Amino acid sequence: MTATIQSAGQDVLTRRPLLTHELGSLAKPNWRVKAISGSPIDDGDVEEARSWGARLGVPGHEELIELLRRPELDAAAKERVRRFSSAYGVRLLEHAGVEVVYDGEQQRSEMYAWAVAHSNGFEQRGDVRAFDNKYYAKAAVTGPLSVREPFHDVEFGFVQSVADSMLKIPITGPYTIADWSFDERYDTATDLSAPAAERHRRRRAARRELILDLARNLIRPNLESLIGLGAGWIQIDEPGASTEADELDLFVEGFNQSVEGAGAVFSTHLCFSDYDLFFPAIESMTGCQQFAVGFANYDGRELGVSAERRPGYRVITKFRDLPHRPVLGLGVLDIHTDFIEPPELVRDRVLYAVEVFGDPTRIHVTPDCGLRTRTWSVAYQKLANMAAGVELAKRELGI
């Protein structure tokens, strides 16, 4: 498998109408979680690994079954399980018909925790609630920021070795890492006697310095190393981008600092938000060749290609009108529900977007976000219907 096949490049953004791709995470299967944690693995876990391995045609999955039946796994065996989980994730996406894939982030602990754990300058401060009953381990920035070593290289090399499709690697962006961390290094002023405007100015200056240091010292070294390994398309995930509406220019500056002059296709994924907030700030993100955005979560389930039937896609005109004419990664699968979108609903969402843009090469088709909150059965069927719906749209459009 060559890098030209494995790594998506500029041509996918200019010559491939309605390209389908994933956006990041898949749920980690029970057998993977239990094996890594050292918890007992039961017959149901083994059967899940066996049935999915057979269904997806994962080469050598019989070895995984043998590993899972061992009474105890050493570090090397756990690493083999982790890699099998990665191979399963790649094959799930490919088997469902997705054209540009990764591995569902199966080798990582979590998008924020993975970056922090492999970097210098952070100290853990405990678990905080993210949403519902979901928690994450929040760290504080306490020292100079740097990477211990590029922390996606080994993962990327393995995915290259098992994938048959083009690859797009997701990495966590500088603004989100800053927003999800305590700042105990840059914003250290404790004098509350200064006027509020001055305190705000100092805090903003400290915030900017933190974000730019993350871009220069964590994100950029990883990008350069991945590009050296053949990565052609890198997605910088920024789920925290609109947390503070008055900091969108800092999100933009962090992205630009990360990618400026680097030789790859760069895109970003914007999680659920009031997308109107991003304008006009993102007009200056000229190095971002695709914005992948979730819309299905806000849309109705009725068929139709009128604006009235597609209320969740109202804001796409603003993405259409961005001066540098980026591609829009059109979210067509609601990842918050087990509802399986019929291919006809996917078709109509795509056709509506193509009509608004007037150019199918500026529309790619994706889930709203990573599918880690769904079971593999639900995620697979959603993705398979996404691929089928795109084929229906192409047929309608004659492409």
Side-chain angles (χ1 to χ4, degrees):
M1 301 176 188
T2 66
T4 54
I5 294 173
Q6 294 262 316
S7 300
Q10 179 63 42
D11 64 324
V12 305
L13 295 181
T14 56
R15 302 175 190 168
R16 298 284 295 273
L18 309 186
L19 187 72
T20 58
H21 57 91
E22 52 77 40
L23 282 184
S25 59
L26 293 170
K28 292 181 174 67
N30 285 336
W31 50 262
R32 188 264 193 210
V33 174
K34 291 181 179 180
I36 302 305
S37 67
S39 301
I41 297 170
D42 59 35
D43 290 343
D45 301 321
V46 176
E47 175 56 24
E48 180 187 36
R50 188 207 63 77
S51 61
W52 274 105
R55 178 179 181 181
L56 301 175
V58 178
H61 70 274
E62 297 84 1
E63 179 192 349
L64 172 64
I65 306 309
E66 187 274 325
L67 288 169
L68 296 178
R69 286 182 171 144
R70 292 182 185 177
E72 189 173 336
L73 298 177
D74 60 17
K78 288 181 178 181
E79 180 59 27
R80 287 294 297 150
V81 171
R82 188 180 286 108
R83 290 196 167 201
F84 266 112
S85 185
S86 180
Y88 273 53
V90 171
R91 287 296 297 137
L92 186 149
L93 294 166
E94 291 181 332
H95 199 269
V98 179
E99 295 171 281
V100 181
V101 306
Y102 204 58
D103 73 340
E105 301 178 14
Q106 293 296 299
Q107 297 189 55
R108 307 177 193 180
S109 50
E110 184 269 342
M111 65 182 298
Y112 168 78
W114 184 261
V116 168
H118 292 83
S119 302
N120 298 311
F122 293 91
E123 293 181 19
Q124 287 296 329
R125 291 290 183 260
D127 292 346
V128 299
R129 189 175 185 177
F131 63 92
D132 295 337
N133 64 341
K134 305 294 184 182
Y135 292 78
Y136 77 98
K138 187 165 183 172
V141 178
T142 59
L145 293 165
S146 64
V147 292
R148 294 173 192 161
E149 60 183 359
F151 47 77
H152 293 304
D153 286 10
V154 174
E155 166 197 272
F156 180 70
F158 177 77
V159 175
Q160 279 183 309
S161 75
V162 298
D164 294 322
S165 304
M166 293 183 291
L167 300 180
K168 171 174 61 72
I169 176 170
I171 74 170
T172 308
Y175 185 89
T176 292
I177 295 175
D179 189 63
W180 291 2
S181 301
F182 295 115
D183 179 5
E184 298 178 12
R185 176 174 173 81
Y186 297 83
D187 184 16
T188 58
T190 58
D191 180 10
L192 299 181
S193 65
E198 174 60 20
R199 297 200 306 272
H200 177 75
R201 186 200 65 77
R202 288 197 308 239
R203 179 186 180 279
R204 182 179 171 81
R207 182 82 153 173
R208 178 176 182 270
E209 186 180 1
L210 168 58
I211 292 164
L212 294 184
D213 273 0
L214 285 164
R216 286 187 290 254
N217 300 329
L218 263 66
I219 309 305
R220 184 60 179 234
N222 277 289
L223 299 184
E224 291 176 346
S225 190
L226 286 166
I227 292 167
L229 292 174
W233 184 353
I234 301 173
Q235 172 183 292
I236 298 180
D237 285 331
E238 289 284 16
S242 63
T243 303
E244 302 291 341
D246 63 348
E247 290 187 350
L248 283 163
D249 59 324
L250 301 184
F251 150 63
V252 169
E253 192 173 3
F255 181 94
N256 290 342
Q257 182 73 50
S258 298
V259 308
E260 185 177 7
V265 168
F266 294 105
S267 59
T268 193
H269 171 46
L270 306 177
C271 273
F272 309 101
S273 178
D274 177 358
Y275 299 123
D276 288 303
L277 295 173
F278 288 99
F279 300 90
I282 62 174
E283 290 181 3
S284 60
M285 287 176 65
T286 55
C288 184
Q289 291 143 294
Q290 184 212 69
F291 290 90
V293 186
F295 299 110
N297 182 68
Y298 307 100
D299 198 40
R301 295 178 180 177
E302 300 81 7
L303 299 183
V305 296
S306 66
E308 292 74 23
R309 289 297 179 95
R310 303 274 68 87
Y313 296 82
R314 172 193 57 80
V315 75
I316 68 172
T317 56
K318 294 190 173 183
F319 289 95
R320 176 198 64 194
D321 295 339
L322 285 168
H324 68 289
R325 294 177 58 80
V327 171
L328 178 63
L330 188 79
V332 298
L333 302 180
D334 184 354
I335 61 94
H336 291 118
T337 174
D338 285 347
F339 171 69
I340 306 296
E341 290 81 357
E344 294 78 11
L345 180 57
V346 172
R347 174 200 63 196
D348 286 0
R349 288 170 172 170
V350 171
L351 290 175
Y352 175 73
V354 170
E355 181 178 357
V356 170
F357 271 66
D359 180 0
T361 66
R362 288 189 64 198
I363 299 295
H364 288 175
V365 185
T366 72
D368 273 3
C369 193
L371 284 157
R372 68 177 178 144
T373 60
R374 302 299 102 198
T375 65
W376 276 22
S377 294
V378 170
Y380 179 89
Q381 195 57 58
K382 279 177 171 279
L383 292 165
N385 281 14
M386 181 180 81
V390 168
E391 290 306 310
L392 292 178
K394 287 181 177 178
R395 194 177 308 160
E396 288 273 337
L397 297 166
I399 58 177

